[in-house]
Amino acid sequence: MSSPATGVVLAESLGIPLVVCLPPELFTVDAARNGYGRLLCRYLPCALLFVESDRHAAAAERLGADPHKTCVVRPGVALDAFEVPPGSRRDPGPGVPSDERLRLMFDASRTPRDDQQFLEEVLIRLKTERGKDFHTIVLSGRDDNGDRSPDLKGLWRSRPDLTVTDLPSPRDVPKVYGGSDVVLVPCATIDETAPVLRAMAAGRAVVAADSLAIQDVVGTARNGMLARAGNRDEWVDKLDYLLDGAALRLHIGRGARARVETHFSLPQTISRMETRLEAVRASWRYDANRSTGL
């Protein structure tokens, strides 16, 4: 919530319950220190607090949240849209060449320059030191003028083993993720659960920077691989091992799909949220006099 005070005033004026979805960024060390997290969790008169994981729920309670008003609603992903028909020829999507080489995909639209540069160095080492042959697909956002960021222009120059393409439309997202063999998420400083969940829902192996946020999604090595952020040797070793193992990629992809089906499907997320909201609505005593001033 960008303005919690406004939310409180509106809720009080209308006589309706205040429900707040706490963002993952709230539970960083800096947020806890500056008191913003404590304000939302302890002092805001909320009827309900939504958090994304058990870890976030525990952190909210440490900041003063009422455990009886704090509920976990995990992020959800639409499963049907990400299914890839068995036996079909992989199609990486618009603007991406189709060949028989393994395809590594990376969403650079939110990733800081340092993490992009780190990943580029890892991929170069895989080719020069380990002799791996693969094609890299870099998804790029554009600014208001329609230009790609200077970071992308400087780091990901055009070459035969690399394609920089625009972020796909929602309609094409399943094809792009399903058309990759491995999805890479090198950043541990921002919330990158979305590309991880998309890869898992597509049944693709993912290698992600080890962080608490990603650990909330990737439960074990059976459904994804974690590597320490900034550790080039570990990233090179794990990717080398993964690129050599078709059976391992298939095993991880199937485990990832099963975990998403069990814990992160969009219908489950919506159902949990609707159930909680309906319980709050049913228990709330509406006072018509509170709304007379509006």
Side-chain angles (χ1 to χ4, degrees):
M1 177 183 293
S2 59
S3 179
T6 302
V8 172
V9 172
L10 287 174
E12 286 291 323
S13 300
L14 296 172
I16 59 176
L18 177 66
V19 178
V20 177
C21 296
L22 298 177
E25 293 81 4
L26 178 68
F27 301 101
T28 63
V29 174
D30 290 340
R33 284 177 177 171
N34 67 22
Y36 185 66
R38 194 170 299 277
L39 167 67
L40 294 182
C41 294
R42 174 174 291 186
Y43 299 110
L44 212 63
C46 297
L48 198 62
L49 292 173
F50 284 135
V51 293
E52 289 191 357
S53 69
D54 295 332
R55 177 177 62 85
H56 289 169
E61 291 173 21
R62 289 195 297 271
L63 290 172
D66 184 345
H68 301 292
K69 296 181 179 180
T70 305
C71 62
V72 176
V73 177
R74 295 185 178 92
V77 63
L79 292 176
D80 292 342
F82 289 91
E83 289 192 77
V84 179
S88 65
R89 180 177 175 82
R90 293 178 310 165
D91 183 354
V96 180
S98 178
D99 56 34
E100 297 305 318
R101 287 180 294 176
L102 292 176
R103 286 189 283 273
L104 278 59
M105 197 196 75
F106 163 54
D107 183 350
S109 59
R110 297 176 65 240
T111 305
R113 178 184 174 86
D114 289 347
D115 293 299
Q116 292 187 46
Q117 188 168 9
F118 162 78
L119 183 59
E120 185 194 36
E121 293 170 0
V122 168
L123 298 180
I124 289 174
R125 284 184 57 180
L126 279 170
K127 288 179 178 290
T128 58
E129 298 178 12
R130 305 295 175 94
K132 301 303 178 188
D133 183 27
F134 53 83
H135 193 92
T136 305
I137 303 165
V138 180
L139 303 183
S140 165
R142 290 179 180 267
D143 60 23
D144 295 337
N145 297 322
D147 297 325
R148 292 194 175 110
S149 71
D151 290 348
L152 285 169
K153 291 178 181 178
L155 289 173
W156 306 103
R157 297 179 177 87
S158 296
R159 55 179 190 255
D161 63 349
L162 173 72
T163 299
V164 178
T165 186
D166 292 339
L167 284 172
S169 66
R171 181 186 65 256
D172 293 323
V173 164
K175 185 181 292 185
V176 172
Y177 275 82
S180 63
D181 294 287
V182 179
V183 177
L184 307 175
V185 185
C187 183
T189 58
I190 60 177
D191 181 24
E192 290 279 35
T193 56
V196 172
L197 281 174
R198 289 169 184 156
M200 294 172 67
R204 296 309 181 207
V206 60
V207 181
D210 194 355
S211 68
L212 292 175
I214 299 302
Q215 289 174 19
D216 291 335
V217 177
V218 179
T220 68
R222 291 191 297 272
N223 47 63
M225 297 184 70
L226 301 180
R228 286 174 292 177
N231 190 312
R232 292 173 179 77
D233 292 336
E234 184 173 346
W235 274 78
V236 169
D237 288 343
K238 288 192 174 182
L239 277 172
D240 189 6
Y241 180 56
L242 190 60
L243 294 177
D244 275 343
L248 176 62
R249 293 194 302 273
L250 180 62
H251 175 72
I252 291 177
R254 287 177 174 173
R257 174 73 187 192
R259 177 163 172 79
V260 169
E261 289 175 345
T262 303
H263 298 287
F264 298 99
S265 70
L266 187 58
Q268 290 175 336
T269 297
I270 294 174
S271 177
R272 291 191 193 103
M273 187 171 289
E274 288 180 339
T275 298
R276 294 288 187 170
L277 291 174
E278 175 58 25
V280 170
R281 187 203 64 78
S283 64
W284 193 261
R285 295 181 178 179
Y286 177 71
D287 184 357
N289 293 327
R290 292 188 180 184
S291 61
T292 56
L294 296 180

